[in-house]
Amino acid sequence: MEVNYDNGLNLKATELRLGLPGSDEPERQTTPRSNKRTLSEISSSGVTDDGNDYQQDSAPPAKEQVVGWPPIRSYRKNCIHATGRYVKVSVDGAAYLRKIDLKVYRSYPDLLKALENMFKLTIGAYSEREGYNGSGYAPTYEDKDGDWMLVGDVPWEMFISSCKRLRIMKGSEARGLGCV
Amino acid sequence: MSEDDERQQCPPSDLEFVSNKARNCNATGSGSGHPELQSVYLDQVLENVLENVLHFLTSKRDRNAASLVCKSWYRVEALTRSELFIGNCYAVSPARATARFARVRALHLKGKPRFADFNLMPPDWGAHFNPWALAMAKAYPWLEKVNLKRMSVTDDDLATLAELFLGFKELVLVCCDGFGTSGLAIFVNKCRQLKVLDLIESEVSDDESDWISCFPEGESHLESLIFDCVECHINFEALERLVARSPLLKKLRLNRYVSIGQLYHLMIRAPQLTHLGTGSFSPSEIAGQGDQEPDYVNAFAACKSLVCLSGFREIIPDYLPAIYIVCANLTSLNFSYANITAEQLKPIISKCHKLQVFWVLDSICDEGLQAVAATCKELRELRVFPVDAREDSDGPVSEVGLQAISEGCRKLQSILYFCQRMTNTAVIAMSKNCPDLVVFRLCIMGRHRADHVTGEPMDDGFGAIVMNCKKLTRLAVSGLLTDKAFDYIGRHGKLVRTLSVAFSGDSDMALKYVLEGCPQLQKLEIRDSPFGDAALRSGLHHYYSMRFLWMSSCRLTRHGCQEIARAMPRLVVEVIRSADEEEMDDAVEILYMYRSLVGPRTDTPKFVTIL
């Protein structure tokens, strides 16, 4: 690194900048038009291991979406995002049914946590051999063939497309489904 | 439900008044009267006769032709035209329109260009209804109907319509904005003769006004009430009372804030409905577990005249069996807001033997489309929208679905198909199997995507469409396309009036082929394609015959557009910037140009420059 002594002072050494000491001044990403720093530049400074690097870390960026493409009116786009896969959820012993949108959840743990919050109960974790043993509740669903299945037995995507309604069973019935 | 069936408008000619042929005054017998007086008398009689005849002429195209015959016909046609259609609100001014046509009862106006729908230009571009409202109020106090598309309408405009037009009967707003529920409240309250209020895909701001309660008490004349796009809660009790006192109501399309339970109550009060938009088609958020659900099957069974069904905004598929009973009579079904699977669709579609119009989401997959093809032999119009409208999403429909439809639905006239994968083979098959196609709009969502089996451009597929579909008037292209595709369009697309191009073509030649080859071209919208000033010049001979040309993110320069503006004084050439861009660049971001009888408009926002 070139050290520039200006008037006998090593200004660079005392310069205040972001980044770990001893690292070169990093390349700044050019921001389009405005001079504002992007959130990623601000948040990545001084925190990453390679302090040189102001690039976004981890996953490659999602493909840049072009304005107005595909040509769907925003009203329709918003409506369809609002629309999901709605199913009714009942819990044995509870007075009310609920309606949930399956599209909102990404995975089984995500869904189960939401159900636990919604109905104030503990379902616990799924195990392939023992189902939901131990919690006293078993989440089940009716699939497109009309069969009642234990939530978790099939891959998530398959579940999303075949689930017609959910029923959280209680007590002895739950145990019956748990051990196959 | 299909858009765009306008007939071609004749170009606004500089009217050449062909003088009347001299009349044979001797026909009246002896020469006792003055020849000039007799001539005037005869002219008057002839005009009266003509007036009575021309009253029967309804087609715009025929009327435009009739008005060009001679001065007399021009005058009489202007007196007898009761429906005034203006395809571009800036092509003519309110003053000029009202000066020519004295007895208009219905006004149909279109404003913004279609690509504005996709956020390609900043809002507040123009197309204000206000000057028209005020001019109409003076010139046509008897005005009964107004139909607006892509116009900005304010609450004040709605008040004007209701207060200044005493016999006002029908308001249809399609893709409009600028007003809210408080404007609606005033409108419905003051319009005592209201028969039709259709709000279609319009943006209505929620001013928290209970507009449904503002309909006047007593029996209403309502025949159609469409408000499925209104994104706010409504007073259901007031709506129920309104429906109960509207014995003539035939069309009712509810918004998604109406639950299925509420729908039931409305349906049993209005079994005479022919068009129904079901609202959410699911119960409100929470329902008692032991609650008895109403007999939805019964409600649908009672609606024996139902032919058009839509809505299903938050559908719970459990409730779908309720509609089985009406399927056999349905001619139109809109599932385009219902995320349902092929399995859920099949029991319904298999009963829809008379279906002519079907709008749906691609969640039904190719399998669902195969089911449609198997039953809907009368299908005229199909629209398949994507659930996930992104370029890189999974595509549940493909060439398989398109091929199936082409084989099963031979009477198809109009198709809009969004997909991620397509092949030339399937498109060619459709061109051969569906010779009645008038509208072909294929949107392969990934830009520049080739035929996914052969890796070739999609030129041959679109080529086959223009070659084989002899009635084609509207075309939208996509996928990887070279200049060859446009050569085909120019050679064979002789009836094409509307063409949409995006991310296509290699060079100026493509645009030249189209501008030189398509004599009926009226509306041309192009984005992100490599066409420059030379290509633009090749259309000089044709621009006065067109309604508009839109080109965005192409290779146009300001001086290229200036040349066009100079060469064609009756063309309004707008250069539009994205709102925050500075003016100085020579590159033109958006060009929007259109013929006009009245020169540049005076209401341009900052980001528009008229050359």
Side-chain angles (χ1 to χ4, degrees):
Chain A
M1 185 176 71
E2 215 182 289
V3 175
N4 191 359
Y5 283 89
D6 228 352
N7 302 335
L9 299 168
N10 181 358
L11 290 172
K12 218 159 173 64
T14 55
E15 186 184 288
L16 282 177
R17 58 183 171 88
L18 302 169
L20 294 174
S23 59
D24 279 337
E25 190 169 301
E27 284 293 313
R28 272 176 209 267
Q29 272 187 334
T30 49
T31 45
R33 289 192 198 128
S34 78
N35 287 325
K36 295 190 194 146
R37 308 266 299 269
T38 61
L39 199 58
S40 62
E41 284 181 303
I42 297 166
S43 61
S44 66
S45 61
V47 174
T48 51
D49 289 337
D50 38 321
N52 295 355
D53 195 0
Y54 268 37
Q55 302 296 332
Q56 293 195 23
D57 52 30
S58 63
K63 185 168 178 186
E64 191 192 301
Q65 299 298 314
V66 173
V67 174
W69 187 262
I72 304 271
R73 301 189 65 237
S74 41
Y75 173 76
R76 183 172 278 285
K77 266 197 226 191
N78 295 339
C79 283
I80 292 175
H81 279 309
T83 308
R85 287 268 169 82
Y86 289 95
V87 295
K88 291 192 212 178
V89 187
S90 60
V91 175
D92 288 359
Y96 294 99
L97 292 171
R98 299 301 297 265
K99 179 170 86 171
I100 62 168
D101 176 2
L102 291 178
K103 279 283 182 200
V104 161
Y105 308 105
R106 279 176 242 267
S107 64
Y108 282 121
D110 215 7
L111 171 65
L112 292 171
K113 193 154 51 158
L115 290 173
E116 287 178 332
N117 282 337
M118 196 180 268
F119 292 102
K120 310 278 180 277
L121 41 77
T122 314
I123 298 174
Y126 170 81
S127 96
E128 209 176 308
R129 266 199 327 132
E130 295 182 345
Y132 295 90
N133 246 352
S135 72
Y137 286 100
T140 66
Y141 71 100
E142 185 180 353
D143 75 0
K144 56 189 175 184
D145 299 323
D147 299 322
W148 285 91
M149 310 275 289
L150 190 67
V151 169
D153 279 348
V154 304
W156 175 251
E157 286 304 325
M158 196 186 293
F159 165 71
I160 292 279
S161 58
S162 60
C163 171
K164 277 172 42 178
R165 69 172 63 84
L166 282 162
R167 178 182 160 198
I168 301 180
M169 294 163 105
K170 202 162 93 160
S172 53
E173 277 188 84
R175 273 191 285 282
L177 263 179
C179 350
V180 171
Chain B
M1 265 204 299
S2 57
E3 303 167 350
D4 240 308
D5 353 64
E6 309 111 37
R7 324 292 291 293
Q8 182 194 3
Q9 247 185 314
C10 291
S13 50
D14 284 6
L15 292 148
E16 291 163 75
F17 299 115
V18 176
S19 54
N20 283 349
K21 294 203 170 101
R23 297 208 191 284
N24 185 355
C25 301
N26 296 329
T28 51
S30 66
S32 53
H34 296 282
E36 295 83 25
L37 273 177
Q38 279 187 341
S39 163
V40 166
Y41 172 67
L42 275 169
D43 279 350
Q44 199 55 51
V45 168
L46 280 164
E47 278 197 11
N48 287 345
V49 168
L50 194 57
E51 197 175 318
N52 281 302
V53 170
L54 286 186
H55 267 301
F56 293 101
L57 216 57
T58 48
S59 141
K60 306 192 280 286
R61 188 189 282 181
D62 290 346
R63 281 193 159 271
N64 287 346
S67 70
L68 293 174
V69 169
C70 64
K71 204 161 148 187
S72 181
W73 281 53
Y74 172 84
R75 211 171 26 239
V76 177
E77 192 283 313
L79 279 177
T80 56
R81 191 180 296 212
S82 62
E83 279 196 36
L84 183 57
F85 171 82
I86 295 171
N88 174 2
C89 63
Y90 288 120
V92 70
S93 65
R96 216 170 143 140
T98 54
R100 176 171 169 183
F101 301 105
R103 303 193 196 148
V104 169
R105 295 192 168 279
L107 175 69
H108 187 152
L109 258 186
K110 293 190 176 188
K112 284 180 251 196
R114 198 178 71 95
F115 272 12
D117 287 355
F118 313 124
N119 301 327
L120 286 181
M121 75 179 179
D124 306 320
W125 169 81
H128 302 289
F129 179 56
N130 185 260
W132 292 90
L134 298 176
M136 302 288 128
K138 283 203 205 84
Y140 314 134
W142 50 75
L143 194 71
E144 291 178 355
K145 299 192 212 186
V146 166
N147 183 324
L148 304 177
K149 186 167 184 179
R150 291 195 189 93
M151 301 276 306
S152 266
V153 182
T154 62
D155 288 343
D156 284 342
D157 296 332
L158 291 177
T160 302
L161 286 176
E163 287 161 10
L164 300 184
F165 299 94
L166 298 175
F168 198 79
K169 297 197 167 69
E170 295 188 23
L171 181 63
V172 177
L173 299 178
V174 181
C175 302
C176 294
D177 61 14
F179 63 100
T181 49
S182 46
L184 286 177
I186 302 176
F187 179 77
V188 303
N189 185 252
K190 302 257 167 88
C191 243
R192 303 264 145 174
Q193 309 290 323
L194 193 65
K195 287 209 258 190
V196 172
L197 176 59
D198 291 351
L199 305 170
I200 299 170
E201 294 196 34
S202 292
E203 221 176 283
V204 182
S205 66
D206 184 359
D207 309 324
E208 295 183 13
S209 171
D210 180 3
W211 62 284
I212 294 277
S213 301
C214 294
F215 279 89
E217 287 304 323
E219 195 163 283
S220 97
H221 302 106
L222 266 186
E223 294 175 14
S224 175
L225 179 62
I226 293 178
F227 63 95
D228 48 4
C229 61
V230 178
E231 289 290 299
C232 24
H233 290 277
I234 49 131
N235 179 337
F236 179 72
E237 285 71 38
L239 179 63
E240 198 178 353
R241 285 197 301 275
L242 177 63
V243 170
R245 65 178 191 279
S246 306
L248 302 173
L249 193 68
K250 291 282 193 296
K251 300 185 188 182
L252 179 64
R253 288 190 357 206
L254 308 165
N255 71 7
R256 66 183 176 89
Y257 292 90
V258 179
S259 71
I260 193 171
Q262 291 172 329
L263 172 67
Y264 173 82
H265 288 290
L266 294 174
M267 287 179 76
I268 57 175
R269 288 193 183 282
Q272 76 281 6
L273 288 176
T274 57
H275 293 58
L276 176 65
T278 64
S280 66
F281 211 68
S282 67
S284 38
E285 195 56 50
I286 301 171
Q289 221 184 128
D291 277 2
Q292 187 70 359
E293 295 235 56
D295 187 349
Y296 299 114
V297 175
N298 209 30
F300 277 94
C303 290
K304 299 195 192 302
S305 313
L306 212 53
V307 291
C308 174
L309 203 52
S310 61
F312 310 103
R313 295 297 178 110
E314 294 181 1
I315 190 173
I316 287 191
D318 288 3
Y319 294 99
L320 276 175
I323 75 170
Y324 290 172
I325 194 156
V326 296
C327 287
N329 284 329
L330 285 183
T331 54
S332 171
L333 179 57
N334 183 347
F335 270 150
S336 67
Y337 294 97
N339 192 340
I340 56 172
T341 61
E343 287 312 305
Q344 290 160 342
L345 177 70
K346 281 179 189 174
I348 296 174
I349 209 75
S350 60
K351 301 176 171 57
C352 292
H353 297 278
K354 288 193 190 163
L355 206 62
Q356 293 186 20
V357 177
F358 185 49
W359 290 22
V360 72
L361 285 176
D362 63 4
S363 56
I364 62 165
C365 303
D366 288 327
E367 198 188 330
L369 291 172
Q370 286 163 333
V372 174
T375 314
C376 303
K377 300 304 176 188
E378 297 299 316
L379 200 67
R380 303 285 195 269
E381 178 179 324
L382 174 67
R383 296 197 190 192
V384 181
F385 294 96
V387 168
D388 190 354
R390 288 178 301 138
E391 274 191 79
D392 43 5
S393 58
D394 288 327
V397 299
S398 69
E399 73 276 4
V400 173
L402 192 75
Q403 179 98 25
I405 292 288
S406 79
E407 287 164 7
C409 307
R410 298 299 177 107
K411 298 187 186 177
L412 200 65
Q413 292 173 358
S414 171
I415 183 164
L416 170 63
Y417 197 88
F418 284 86
C419 60
Q420 293 286 7
R421 300 189 339 252
M422 189 47 60
T423 62
N424 282 302
T425 305
V427 178
I428 294 170
M430 178 157 270
S431 77
K432 294 187 177 150
N433 292 336
C434 304
D436 291 339
L437 274 178
V438 173
V439 174
F440 184 80
R441 298 160 71 191
L442 177 62
C443 182
I444 303 169
M445 292 192 274
R447 292 170 283 159
H448 312 296
R449 206 163 277 175
D451 177 322
H452 86 99
V453 166
T454 64
E456 291 191 356
M458 292 299 299
D459 297 339
D460 289 341
F462 286 103
I465 291 285
V466 286
M467 269 187 261
N468 299 332
C469 302
K470 311 255 190 278
K471 304 179 189 176
L472 195 78
T473 60
R474 182 172 180 179
L475 181 64
V477 301
S478 61
L480 180 65
L481 292 172
T482 71
D483 289 349
K484 193 157 93 143
F486 297 91
D487 186 15
Y488 287 140
I489 295 172
R491 267 183 224 280
H492 303 282
K494 295 303 177 189
L495 296 184
V496 171
R497 293 205 293 265
T498 306
L499 180 62
S500 296
V501 176
F503 305 101
S504 313
D506 298 325
S507 75
D508 283 349
M509 286 311 297
L511 183 52
K512 276 192 194 168
Y513 290 140
V514 168
L515 289 171
E516 288 168 3
C518 300
Q520 298 297 320
L521 196 60
Q522 296 272 292
K523 301 187 260 184
L524 181 55
E525 41 189 34
I526 303 173
R527 65 167 294 182
D528 294 274
S529 300
F531 310 142
D533 299 336
L536 198 61
R537 272 197 290 280
S538 62
L540 284 170
H541 67 286
H542 190 62
Y543 292 139
Y544 280 157
S545 307
M546 288 176 65
R547 187 178 296 171
F548 71 78
L549 169 64
W550 166 291
M551 286 178 68
S552 59
S553 304
C554 295
R555 295 198 184 150
L556 299 174
T557 68
R558 209 181 161 96
H559 66 263
C561 297
Q562 196 94 60
E563 246 188 82
I564 305 292
R566 260 186 245 121
M568 310 196 75
R570 289 201 201 260
L571 218 54
V572 173
V573 179
E574 295 195 10
V575 169
I576 304 171
R577 298 181 289 286
S578 349
D580 52 359
E581 245 180 82
E582 285 311 307
E583 208 190 297
M584 293 295 98
D585 215 281
D586 194 38
V588 163
E589 182 53 38
I590 301 172
L591 167 71
Y592 179 55
M593 65 189 207
Y594 48 89
R595 65 188 175 192
S596 173
L597 290 176
V598 292
R601 56 188 174 117
T602 51
D603 60 358
T604 49
K606 282 193 320 242
F607 52 86
V608 173
T609 308
I610 297 185
L611 297 180

